[in-house]
Amino acid sequence: SDNWDDAEGYYRARMGEVLDGRYQVMESHGRGVFSTVVKAKDLQSVVPLNTDADPQTQTQNVGAGEYSEVALKVIRANETMYKAAQLEITVCKKLMDADPENKRHCVRFLRSFEF
């Protein structure tokens, strides 16, 4: 047994664990019917430390450094929950497409991955 999930299929958050080679788990934010939510550091997105510094020397990439901390929704290890998550991804993408400038301040869907 890999011990990543509990008996009900919820992800057991391990502080410091890196998911998808990119997201370092910082803390658990709880769980709901479908998933566990964790706060994570995006190791591929860096916020500039000094906004007055020369932009040529700043380290930035994905989203111009806007997403250094993210919430990860880790779906329960269960086929029904997986299918519900696929539907939720579709809805989140439609919300993003309807508000590309984030004027309504809804949750921003960045990407999905499986592990």
Side-chain angles (χ1 to χ4, degrees):
S1 168
D2 57 28
N3 225 13
W4 281 352
D5 303 322
D6 67 12
E8 296 175 325
Y10 287 99
Y11 167 66
R12 294 179 196 229
R14 294 182 180 143
M15 301 316 114
E17 179 178 19
V18 177
L19 303 177
D20 198 38
R22 177 173 183 162
Y23 303 104
Q24 184 177 26
V25 176
M26 298 169 67
E27 61 186 84
S28 178
H29 275 295
R31 65 186 197 181
V33 173
F34 295 106
S35 63
T36 302
V37 177
V38 297
K39 178 179 177 180
K41 185 186 327 180
D42 184 345
L43 301 176
Q44 294 182 15
S45 178
V46 179
V47 173
L49 296 176
N50 181 353
T51 56
D52 296 327
D54 179 358
Q56 298 292 331
T57 62
Q58 295 293 320
T59 303
Q60 296 180 326
N61 56 19
V62 180
E66 297 171 9
Y67 304 112
S68 65
E69 291 182 357
V70 297
L72 298 180
K73 186 171 186 177
V74 184
I75 306 305
R76 287 172 61 187
N78 171 310
E79 186 64 27
T80 301
M81 302 303 167
Y82 177 81
K83 289 178 181 177
Q86 297 305 306
L87 177 60
E88 183 176 16
I89 288 169
T90 301
V91 170
C92 287
K93 286 180 179 179
K94 286 181 181 181
L95 287 171
M96 293 266 304
D97 290 344
D99 184 21
E101 295 177 17
N102 196 23
K103 290 182 179 181
R104 300 193 188 277
H105 305 290
C106 289
V107 171
R108 307 303 284 173
F109 177 78
L110 302 177
R111 62 188 290 266
S112 65
F113 62 92
E114 296 184 25
F115 72 101

